[in-house]
Amino acid sequence: MRQLAQLLGAAVAALLIAAPALAVLPDEMLANPQLEARARTISQQLRCMVCQNQTIDDSDAPLARDLRLLVRERLQRGDNDRQAVAYIVARYGHYVLLQPPFETATLLLWLGPAAFVVAGGAGVALYLRRRHAVVPDTALSPEDSAHIDALLREG
């Protein structure tokens, strides 16, 4: 029984590891193994626009399939890797790259998350400062203190 459980666990682990490879369907693959290897390398650099943080090589989304086919088509037409990627970027923008270049057109992609963190921190700091400023530090007046002492002594 224990061996069966281990075998089942190993099978499940193997399926989980191989799951991303199932996205590229056999009918998409090129007959030329060198072109197919280049296509897979390029596909691992491109973001699925539907899945956001998944490569088109790993995604089952129809748009990812279209992009994989487009990459393969460009390679079959004779494009080198750089030209094929440039073609995709020209159609979909720098956001399709998992690692967009750091240039003027992509500053928002690179600095946007940091700007949100800084703005959020500034907002929290401002909130805390205003909250602290609104609550005045009021000490009891001598009359109030005497009144409280009298009430406490009475019981």
Side-chain angles (χ1 to χ4, degrees), residues 89 92-97 100-112:
V89 169
Y92 294 94
H94 284 100
Y95 187 71
V96 77
L97 297 172
F102 190 78
E103 55 188 38
T104 307
T106 61
L107 281 178
L108 187 59
L109 291 174
W110 282 100
L111 302 178

Short mmCIF file of all heavy atoms in Angstrom, two decimals, residues 89 92-97 100-112:
data_model
loop_
_atom_site.label_atom_id
_atom_site.label_comp_id
_atom_site.label_asym_id
_atom_site.label_seq_id
_atom_site.Cartn_x
_atom_site.Cartn_y
_atom_site.Cartn_z
N VAL A 89 6.57 42.57 -30.87
CA VAL A 89 6.56 43.81 -30.08
C VAL A 89 5.92 44.94 -30.87
O VAL A 89 5.17 45.75 -30.31
CB VAL A 89 7.99 44.17 -29.61
CG1 VAL A 89 8.02 45.57 -29.02
CG2 VAL A 89 8.49 43.15 -28.61
N TYR A 92 2.14 44.25 -30.53
CA TYR A 92 1.52 44.19 -29.20
C TYR A 92 2.15 45.11 -28.17
O TYR A 92 1.65 45.20 -27.05
CB TYR A 92 1.56 42.74 -28.67
CG TYR A 92 0.70 41.81 -29.49
CD1 TYR A 92 1.24 41.07 -30.53
CD2 TYR A 92 -0.66 41.70 -29.24
CE1 TYR A 92 0.45 40.23 -31.29
CE2 TYR A 92 -1.46 40.86 -30.00
CZ TYR A 92 -0.89 40.13 -31.03
OH TYR A 92 -1.68 39.30 -31.77
N GLY A 93 3.23 45.76 -28.49
CA GLY A 93 3.87 46.67 -27.55
C GLY A 93 4.88 45.96 -26.65
O GLY A 93 4.95 44.73 -26.62
N HIS A 94 5.65 46.74 -25.92
CA HIS A 94 6.70 46.20 -25.06
C HIS A 94 6.15 45.37 -23.91
O HIS A 94 6.87 44.57 -23.32
CB HIS A 94 7.56 47.34 -24.49
CG HIS A 94 8.52 47.89 -25.49
ND1 HIS A 94 8.26 49.05 -26.18
CD2 HIS A 94 9.71 47.44 -25.93
CE1 HIS A 94 9.26 49.29 -27.00
NE2 HIS A 94 10.15 48.33 -26.87
N TYR A 95 4.88 45.54 -23.59
CA TYR A 95 4.30 44.79 -22.48
C TYR A 95 4.30 43.29 -22.74
O TYR A 95 4.28 42.48 -21.82
CB TYR A 95 2.88 45.28 -22.18
CG TYR A 95 2.30 44.67 -20.95
CD1 TYR A 95 2.77 45.03 -19.69
CD2 TYR A 95 1.32 43.69 -21.02
CE1 TYR A 95 2.27 44.44 -18.54
CE2 TYR A 95 0.80 43.11 -19.88
CZ TYR A 95 1.29 43.49 -18.65
OH TYR A 95 0.79 42.90 -17.51
N VAL A 96 4.35 42.90 -24.01
CA VAL A 96 4.35 41.47 -24.35
C VAL A 96 5.67 40.81 -23.95
O VAL A 96 5.72 39.59 -23.79
CB VAL A 96 4.05 41.27 -25.86
CG1 VAL A 96 5.25 41.59 -26.72
CG2 VAL A 96 3.55 39.87 -26.13
N LEU A 97 6.70 41.59 -23.72
CA LEU A 97 7.99 41.03 -23.29
C LEU A 97 7.98 40.82 -21.79
O LEU A 97 7.58 41.71 -21.03
CB LEU A 97 9.13 41.99 -23.65
CG LEU A 97 9.36 42.25 -25.14
CD1 LEU A 97 10.40 43.36 -25.32
CD2 LEU A 97 9.80 40.98 -25.84
N PRO A 100 10.92 43.72 -20.53
CA PRO A 100 11.00 44.81 -21.51
C PRO A 100 12.28 45.61 -21.31
O PRO A 100 12.82 45.68 -20.20
CB PRO A 100 9.75 45.65 -21.20
CG PRO A 100 9.38 45.30 -19.82
CD PRO A 100 9.84 43.90 -19.58
N PRO A 101 12.79 46.23 -22.37
CA PRO A 101 14.01 47.02 -22.24
C PRO A 101 13.74 48.27 -21.41
O PRO A 101 12.62 48.78 -21.38
CB PRO A 101 14.37 47.38 -23.69
CG PRO A 101 13.06 47.31 -24.41
CD PRO A 101 12.27 46.24 -23.74
N PHE A 102 14.77 48.76 -20.75
CA PHE A 102 14.63 49.98 -19.95
C PHE A 102 14.90 51.16 -20.87
O PHE A 102 16.03 51.49 -21.19
CB PHE A 102 15.62 49.97 -18.78
CG PHE A 102 15.37 51.07 -17.79
CD1 PHE A 102 14.35 50.97 -16.87
CD2 PHE A 102 16.16 52.21 -17.78
CE1 PHE A 102 14.11 51.98 -15.95
CE2 PHE A 102 15.93 53.23 -16.88
CZ PHE A 102 14.90 53.11 -15.97
N GLU A 103 13.83 51.79 -21.35
CA GLU A 103 13.93 52.94 -22.23
C GLU A 103 12.73 53.85 -21.97
O GLU A 103 11.85 53.52 -21.18
CB GLU A 103 14.00 52.51 -23.70
CG GLU A 103 12.86 51.63 -24.13
CD GLU A 103 13.06 51.04 -25.52
OE1 GLU A 103 14.19 50.69 -25.88
OE2 GLU A 103 12.05 50.94 -26.24
N THR A 104 12.71 54.98 -22.63
CA THR A 104 11.67 55.98 -22.38
C THR A 104 10.26 55.40 -22.53
O THR A 104 9.38 55.66 -21.72
CB THR A 104 11.85 57.17 -23.34
OG1 THR A 104 13.18 57.65 -23.24
CG2 THR A 104 10.88 58.28 -23.01
N ALA A 105 10.06 54.60 -23.56
CA ALA A 105 8.73 54.05 -23.82
C ALA A 105 8.28 53.06 -22.75
O ALA A 105 7.09 52.80 -22.61
CB ALA A 105 8.71 53.38 -25.19
N THR A 106 9.22 52.49 -22.01
CA THR A 106 8.86 51.46 -21.02
C THR A 106 9.08 51.91 -19.57
O THR A 106 9.05 51.09 -18.67
CB THR A 106 9.69 50.18 -21.27
OG1 THR A 106 11.07 50.48 -21.13
CG2 THR A 106 9.39 49.60 -22.63
N LEU A 107 9.31 53.20 -19.37
CA LEU A 107 9.54 53.69 -18.01
C LEU A 107 8.38 53.35 -17.07
O LEU A 107 8.59 53.00 -15.92
CB LEU A 107 9.78 55.20 -18.01
CG LEU A 107 11.17 55.64 -18.40
CD1 LEU A 107 11.26 57.17 -18.42
CD2 LEU A 107 12.22 55.06 -17.50
N LEU A 108 7.16 53.47 -17.58
CA LEU A 108 6.00 53.17 -16.74
C LEU A 108 5.99 51.70 -16.32
O LEU A 108 5.65 51.38 -15.17
CB LEU A 108 4.71 53.52 -17.48
CG LEU A 108 3.43 53.41 -16.67
CD1 LEU A 108 3.48 54.34 -15.46
CD2 LEU A 108 2.23 53.74 -17.51
N LEU A 109 6.39 50.80 -17.22
CA LEU A 109 6.44 49.38 -16.86
C LEU A 109 7.48 49.11 -15.78
O LEU A 109 7.27 48.29 -14.89
CB LEU A 109 6.78 48.53 -18.10
CG LEU A 109 5.72 48.45 -19.18
CD1 LEU A 109 6.27 47.70 -20.39
CD2 LEU A 109 4.48 47.77 -18.67
N TRP A 110 8.62 49.81 -15.86
CA TRP A 110 9.70 49.59 -14.89
C TRP A 110 9.48 50.34 -13.59
O TRP A 110 9.73 49.82 -12.51
CB TRP A 110 11.04 50.01 -15.51
CG TRP A 110 11.59 49.00 -16.45
CD1 TRP A 110 11.52 49.02 -17.81
CD2 TRP A 110 12.28 47.80 -16.11
NE1 TRP A 110 12.13 47.91 -18.33
CE2 TRP A 110 12.61 47.14 -17.31
CE3 TRP A 110 12.65 47.20 -14.91
CZ2 TRP A 110 13.28 45.93 -17.35
CZ3 TRP A 110 13.33 46.00 -14.95
CH2 TRP A 110 13.64 45.38 -16.15
N LEU A 111 9.04 51.58 -13.68
CA LEU A 111 8.95 52.43 -12.49
C LEU A 111 7.55 52.49 -11.89
O LEU A 111 7.38 52.96 -10.76
CB LEU A 111 9.45 53.84 -12.82
CG LEU A 111 10.88 53.92 -13.35
CD1 LEU A 111 11.25 55.36 -13.69
CD2 LEU A 111 11.87 53.33 -12.36
N GLY A 112 6.54 52.03 -12.63
CA GLY A 112 5.17 52.08 -12.15
C GLY A 112 4.96 51.38 -10.81
O GLY A 112 4.40 51.97 -9.88
#
